[in-house]
Protein backbone atom coordinates (compact mmCIF):
# COMPACT_ATOMS: atom_id res chain seq x y z
CA UNK A 1 0.00 0.00 0.00
CA UNK A 2 1.39 3.38 -1.02
CA UNK A 3 1.03 5.57 2.05
CA UNK A 4 1.94 9.29 1.93
CA UNK A 5 5.23 8.62 3.72
CA UNK A 6 6.17 5.92 1.19
CA UNK A 7 5.31 8.23 -1.67
CA UNK A 8 7.54 10.92 -0.14
CA UNK A 9 10.43 8.45 0.13
CA UNK A 10 9.97 7.35 -3.47
CA UNK A 11 9.87 10.97 -4.56
CA UNK A 12 13.07 11.70 -2.61
CA UNK A 13 14.85 8.73 -4.18
CA UNK A 14 13.68 9.80 -7.62
CA UNK A 15 14.87 13.37 -7.11
CA UNK A 16 18.23 12.22 -5.76
CA UNK A 17 18.86 10.20 -8.93
CA UNK A 18 18.38 13.22 -11.22
CA UNK A 19 20.95 15.87 -12.06
CA UNK A 20 18.47 18.74 -11.99
CA UNK A 21 16.66 17.92 -8.73
CA UNK A 22 19.29 16.07 -6.71
CA UNK A 23 20.30 19.22 -4.84
CA UNK A 24 16.80 19.49 -3.33
CA UNK A 25 17.34 16.42 -1.13
CA UNK A 26 20.99 17.13 -0.32
CA UNK A 27 22.31 19.26 2.52
CA UNK A 28 24.50 21.32 0.20
CA UNK A 29 23.65 24.91 -0.60
CA UNK A 30 21.60 25.54 -3.70
CA UNK A 31 22.95 27.78 -6.44
CA UNK A 32 20.99 29.93 -8.84
CA UNK A 33 22.14 27.73 -11.72
CA UNK A 34 20.75 24.59 -10.07
CA UNK A 35 17.40 26.21 -9.36
CA UNK A 36 17.17 27.53 -12.92
CA UNK A 37 17.40 23.95 -14.24
CA UNK A 38 14.12 22.96 -12.58
CA UNK A 39 11.24 22.56 -14.98
CA UNK A 40 8.37 25.01 -14.89
CA UNK A 41 5.04 23.76 -13.47
CA UNK A 42 2.81 21.90 -15.91
CA UNK A 43 -0.96 22.36 -15.95
CA UNK A 44 -2.72 19.25 -17.23
CA UNK A 45 -6.32 18.54 -18.06
CA UNK A 46 -8.26 15.41 -18.82
CA UNK A 47 -7.63 14.36 -22.44
CA UNK A 48 -10.46 14.91 -24.87
CA UNK A 49 -10.16 11.29 -26.01
CA UNK A 50 -11.74 10.17 -22.74
CA UNK A 51 -15.51 10.31 -23.12
CA UNK A 52 -17.46 11.39 -20.07
CA UNK A 53 -19.94 8.82 -18.71
CA UNK A 54 -23.63 9.19 -19.45
CA UNK A 55 -24.95 9.86 -15.97
CA UNK A 56 -28.52 10.15 -17.25
CA UNK A 57 -28.80 6.37 -16.96
CA UNK A 58 -28.97 6.80 -13.20
CA UNK A 59 -32.05 8.99 -13.52
CA UNK A 60 -34.16 6.40 -15.28
CA UNK A 61 -36.95 5.35 -12.96
CA UNK A 62 -38.33 2.39 -14.93
CA UNK A 63 -39.16 -0.59 -12.76
CA UNK A 64 -36.60 -3.26 -13.60
CA UNK A 65 -39.00 -6.11 -12.83
CA UNK A 66 -41.33 -4.87 -15.58
CA UNK A 67 -38.66 -4.72 -18.30
CA UNK A 68 -38.28 -7.57 -20.78
CA UNK A 69 -35.09 -9.61 -20.94
CA UNK A 70 -33.73 -7.81 -24.01
CA UNK A 71 -34.19 -4.41 -22.35
CA UNK A 72 -32.48 -5.60 -19.18
CA UNK A 73 -29.52 -6.96 -21.14
CA UNK A 74 -29.23 -3.71 -23.08
CA UNK A 75 -29.33 -1.67 -19.87
CA UNK A 76 -26.64 -3.86 -18.31
CA UNK A 77 -24.40 -3.39 -21.34
CA UNK A 78 -24.93 0.38 -21.23
CA UNK A 79 -24.18 0.52 -17.51
CA UNK A 80 -21.02 -1.55 -17.97
CA UNK A 81 -19.87 0.76 -20.76
CA UNK A 82 -20.46 3.88 -18.68
CA UNK A 83 -18.72 2.30 -15.69
CA UNK A 84 -15.71 1.53 -17.89
CA UNK A 85 -15.63 5.15 -19.08
CA UNK A 86 -15.93 6.39 -15.50
CA UNK A 87 -13.04 4.16 -14.39
CA UNK A 88 -10.74 5.46 -17.13
CA UNK A 89 -11.72 9.05 -16.40
CA UNK A 90 -11.15 8.60 -12.67
CA UNK A 91 -7.73 7.03 -13.30
CA UNK A 92 -6.69 9.95 -15.49
CA UNK A 93 -7.80 12.46 -12.86
CA UNK A 94 -5.90 10.59 -10.14
CA UNK A 95 -2.73 10.63 -12.26
CA UNK A 96 -3.12 14.38 -12.87
CA UNK A 97 -3.71 14.99 -9.16
CA UNK A 98 -0.60 12.96 -8.24
CA UNK A 99 1.49 14.98 -10.68
CA UNK A 100 0.17 18.26 -9.30
CA UNK A 101 0.92 17.16 -5.73
CA UNK A 102 4.46 16.20 -6.76
CA UNK A 103 4.93 19.64 -8.32
CA UNK A 104 3.76 21.28 -5.09
CA UNK A 105 6.27 19.23 -3.10
CA UNK A 106 9.12 20.16 -5.44
CA UNK A 107 8.12 23.82 -5.27
CA UNK A 108 8.02 23.67 -1.47
CA UNK A 109 11.47 22.04 -1.34
CA UNK A 110 12.80 24.72 -3.69
CA UNK A 111 11.29 27.44 -1.51
CA UNK A 112 12.95 25.94 1.57
CA UNK A 113 16.32 25.97 -0.21
CA UNK A 114 15.82 29.60 -1.24
CA UNK A 115 14.72 30.56 2.26
CA UNK A 116 17.80 28.93 3.77
CA UNK A 117 20.11 30.67 1.32
CA UNK A 118 18.41 34.02 1.95
CA UNK A 119 18.62 33.54 5.70
CA UNK A 120 22.35 32.81 5.53
CA UNK A 121 22.89 35.84 3.33
CA UNK A 122 20.96 38.12 5.68
CA UNK A 123 22.60 36.71 8.78
CA UNK A 124 26.09 36.87 7.34
CA UNK A 125 29.19 35.08 8.49
CA UNK A 126 30.20 35.70 12.07
CA UNK A 127 33.49 37.53 12.28
CA UNK A 128 36.09 36.76 14.95
CA UNK A 129 37.47 40.28 14.81
CA UNK A 130 36.98 42.59 17.77
CA UNK A 131 36.19 46.27 17.48
CA UNK A 132 37.72 47.99 20.48
CA UNK A 133 36.13 51.39 20.04
CA UNK A 134 32.97 51.14 17.94
CA UNK A 135 32.19 54.82 18.57
CA UNK A 136 35.11 55.96 16.47
CA UNK A 137 37.31 58.94 17.34
CA UNK A 138 41.04 58.84 17.83
CA UNK A 139 42.73 57.03 20.70
CA UNK A 140 46.25 56.92 22.09
CA UNK A 141 47.46 53.33 22.07
CA UNK A 142 49.40 54.02 25.26
CA UNK A 143 46.37 55.40 27.09
CA UNK A 144 45.21 53.55 30.18
CA UNK A 145 41.73 52.86 28.81
CA UNK A 146 43.20 51.28 25.67
CA UNK A 147 45.55 49.07 27.66
CA UNK A 148 42.80 48.01 30.09
CA UNK A 149 40.38 47.18 27.29
CA UNK A 150 43.03 45.28 25.34
CA UNK A 151 43.87 43.18 28.41
CA UNK A 152 40.18 42.51 29.00
CA UNK A 153 39.73 41.38 25.40
CA UNK A 154 42.74 39.08 25.66
CA UNK A 155 41.39 37.56 28.87
CA UNK A 156 37.98 37.05 27.26
CA UNK A 157 39.64 35.40 24.26
CA UNK A 158 41.61 33.05 26.50
CA UNK A 159 38.50 32.20 28.51
CA UNK A 160 36.60 31.46 25.31
CA UNK A 161 39.33 29.09 24.13
CA UNK A 162 39.41 27.34 27.52
CA UNK A 163 35.62 26.96 27.50
CA UNK A 164 35.73 25.62 23.95
CA UNK A 165 38.36 23.04 24.89
CA UNK A 166 36.35 22.03 27.97
CA UNK A 167 33.21 21.59 25.89
CA UNK A 168 35.10 19.47 23.39
CA UNK A 169 36.42 17.28 26.21
CA UNK A 170 32.92 16.86 27.65
CA UNK A 171 31.50 16.00 24.22
CA UNK A 172 34.16 13.37 23.64
CA UNK A 173 33.63 11.91 27.11
CA UNK A 174 29.87 11.80 26.59
CA UNK A 175 30.32 10.19 23.19
CA UNK A 176 32.60 7.53 24.68
CA UNK A 177 30.10 6.97 27.49
CA UNK A 178 27.27 6.45 25.02
CA UNK A 179 29.37 4.02 22.99
CA UNK A 180 30.13 2.07 26.17
CA UNK A 181 26.44 2.03 27.07
CA UNK A 182 25.54 0.74 23.60
CA UNK A 183 28.00 -2.14 23.95
CA UNK A 184 26.66 -2.92 27.41
CA UNK A 185 23.10 -2.75 26.09
CA UNK A 186 23.88 -5.23 23.33
CA UNK A 187 25.29 -7.63 25.91
CA UNK A 188 22.19 -7.22 28.08
CA UNK A 189 19.92 -7.96 25.12
CA UNK A 190 21.94 -11.04 24.21
CA UNK A 191 21.80 -12.29 27.80
CA UNK A 192 18.05 -11.65 27.91
CA UNK A 193 17.52 -13.56 24.65
CA UNK A 194 19.50 -16.50 26.04
CA UNK A 195 17.47 -16.40 29.26
CA UNK A 196 14.21 -16.42 27.28
CA UNK A 197 15.33 -19.43 25.25
CA UNK A 198 16.31 -21.27 28.44
CA UNK A 199 12.94 -20.36 29.96
CA UNK A 200 11.09 -21.72 26.93
CA UNK A 201 13.00 -25.01 27.08
CA UNK A 202 12.36 -25.33 30.81
CA UNK A 203 8.65 -24.62 30.37
CA UNK A 204 8.46 -27.22 27.61
CA UNK A 205 10.02 -29.84 29.87
CA UNK A 206 7.71 -28.94 32.74
CA UNK A 207 4.64 -29.11 30.50
CA UNK A 208 5.69 -32.54 29.31
CA UNK A 209 6.05 -33.56 32.95
CA UNK A 210 2.45 -32.49 33.62
CA UNK A 211 2.98 -29.10 35.25
CA UNK A 212 0.00 -26.78 35.01
CA UNK A 213 0.35 -23.53 33.06
CA UNK A 214 -0.20 -21.34 36.12
CA UNK A 215 2.62 -23.13 37.95
CA UNK A 216 5.18 -22.51 35.23
CA UNK A 217 8.01 -20.04 35.95
CA UNK A 218 7.50 -16.49 34.80
CA UNK A 219 9.14 -15.21 31.67
CA UNK A 220 12.35 -13.22 32.31
CA UNK A 221 11.70 -9.50 32.23
CA UNK A 222 13.29 -7.45 29.51
CA UNK A 223 16.03 -5.27 31.00
CA UNK A 224 15.90 -1.50 30.83
CA UNK A 225 18.46 0.27 28.73
CA UNK A 226 21.07 2.09 30.83
CA UNK A 227 20.99 5.85 30.52
CA UNK A 228 24.00 8.15 30.46
CA UNK A 229 24.69 10.46 33.33
CA UNK A 230 22.95 13.85 33.15
CA UNK A 231 25.07 16.29 31.20
CA UNK A 232 26.27 19.41 32.97
CA UNK A 233 25.50 21.52 29.93
CA UNK A 234 22.75 20.34 27.61
CA UNK A 235 24.15 22.40 24.74
CA UNK A 236 27.36 20.38 24.85
CA UNK A 237 25.68 17.20 23.68
CA UNK A 238 25.65 16.42 19.98
CA UNK A 239 22.34 17.05 18.27
CA UNK A 240 22.46 13.85 16.23
CA UNK A 241 22.76 11.58 19.27
CA UNK A 242 19.69 10.21 20.97
CA UNK A 243 19.19 7.93 23.91
CA UNK A 244 16.07 6.07 22.79
CA UNK A 245 15.39 2.65 24.27
CA UNK A 246 15.33 0.86 20.96
CA UNK A 247 16.58 -2.64 20.41
Amino acid sequence: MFTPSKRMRFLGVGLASTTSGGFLVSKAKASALQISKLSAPMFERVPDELVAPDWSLLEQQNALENLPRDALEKRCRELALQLHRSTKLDGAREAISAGQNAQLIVQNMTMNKLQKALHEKEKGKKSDRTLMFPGGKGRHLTADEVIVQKLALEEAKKKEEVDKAAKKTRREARKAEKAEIEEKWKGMLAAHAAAVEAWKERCARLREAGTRAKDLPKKPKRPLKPKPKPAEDVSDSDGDESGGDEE
Side-chain angles (χ1 to χ4, degrees), residues 121-138:
K121 184 176 181 181
E122 291 178 347
K123 186 177 180 181
K125 187 177 180 181
K126 185 178 179 181
S127 176
D128 58 350
R129 298 180 180 179
T130 303
L131 188 62
M132 294 183 62
F133 300 101
K137 299 181 180 180

Side-chain angles (χ1 to χ4, degrees), residues 10-228:
F10 287 142
L11 178 61
V13 172
L15 285 174
S17 61
T18 61
T19 56
S20 59
F23 72 96
L24 292 175
V25 294
S26 66
K27 295 183 179 180
K29 296 181 181 179
S31 63
L33 179 61
Q34 290 175 322
I35 295 177
S36 64
K37 291 182 179 180
L38 292 176
S39 302
M42 296 179 60
F43 300 95
E44 298 179 279
R45 57 186 298 272
V46 177
D48 297 333
E49 292 79 8
L50 297 179
V51 182
D54 184 10
W55 301 112
S56 62
L57 293 176
L58 300 176
E59 300 176 359
Q60 296 180 7
Q61 302 296 332
N62 296 333
L64 298 180
E65 60 272 11
N66 298 330
L67 294 177
R69 179 184 179 88
D70 295 341
L72 286 174
E73 291 179 352
K74 181 180 178 181
R75 181 175 176 81
C76 289
R77 287 193 296 269
E78 291 177 350
L79 289 174
L81 175 62
Q82 304 309 321
L83 180 61
H84 179 67
R85 291 177 178 177
S86 176
T87 303
K88 294 180 65 176
L89 193 65
D90 186 60
R93 286 174 176 170
E94 284 188 359
I96 293 174
S97 177
Q100 291 174 344
N101 291 336
Q103 290 184 96
L104 288 175
I105 294 173
V106 172
Q107 290 176 0
N108 182 65
M109 296 172 71
T110 307
M111 184 188 67
N112 290 337
K113 283 286 186 180
L114 291 174
Q115 185 179 10
K116 184 178 179 181
L118 182 61
H119 176 71
E120 292 180 354
K121 184 176 181 181
E122 291 178 347
K123 186 177 180 181
K125 187 177 180 181
K126 185 178 179 181
S127 176
D128 58 350
R129 298 180 180 179
T130 303
L131 188 62
M132 294 183 62
F133 300 101
K137 299 181 180 180
R139 297 288 194 281
H140 289 288
L141 297 180
T142 56
D144 293 339
E145 58 176 342
V146 176
I147 296 174
V148 171
Q149 187 170 358
K150 189 173 184 302
L151 291 175
L153 292 174
E154 291 177 354
E155 289 295 329
K157 188 71 174 178
K158 291 179 181 178
K159 185 177 182 301
E160 182 181 355
E161 293 177 356
V162 171
D163 293 342
K164 187 182 295 185
K167 287 183 179 181
K168 182 179 179 181
T169 302
R170 288 197 296 269
R171 282 196 300 267
E172 292 176 352
R174 188 166 179 81
K175 188 175 181 180
E177 181 186 7
K178 288 189 175 182
E180 183 180 354
I181 289 176
E182 287 297 328
E183 290 297 326
K184 184 178 179 181
W185 175 237
K186 291 179 181 178
M188 293 171 65
L189 291 178
H192 174 68
V196 171
E197 290 298 327
W199 169 78
K200 290 181 179 178
E201 294 177 0
R202 184 183 178 189
C203 289
R205 291 195 301 268
L206 292 175
R207 291 297 297 270
E208 292 177 357
T211 305
R212 294 180 298 180
K214 65 177 183 178
D215 296 331
L216 294 175
K218 294 183 179 180
K219 182 179 180 180
K221 292 184 178 180
R222 185 176 183 273
L224 297 177
K225 184 176 182 180
K227 295 183 179 180

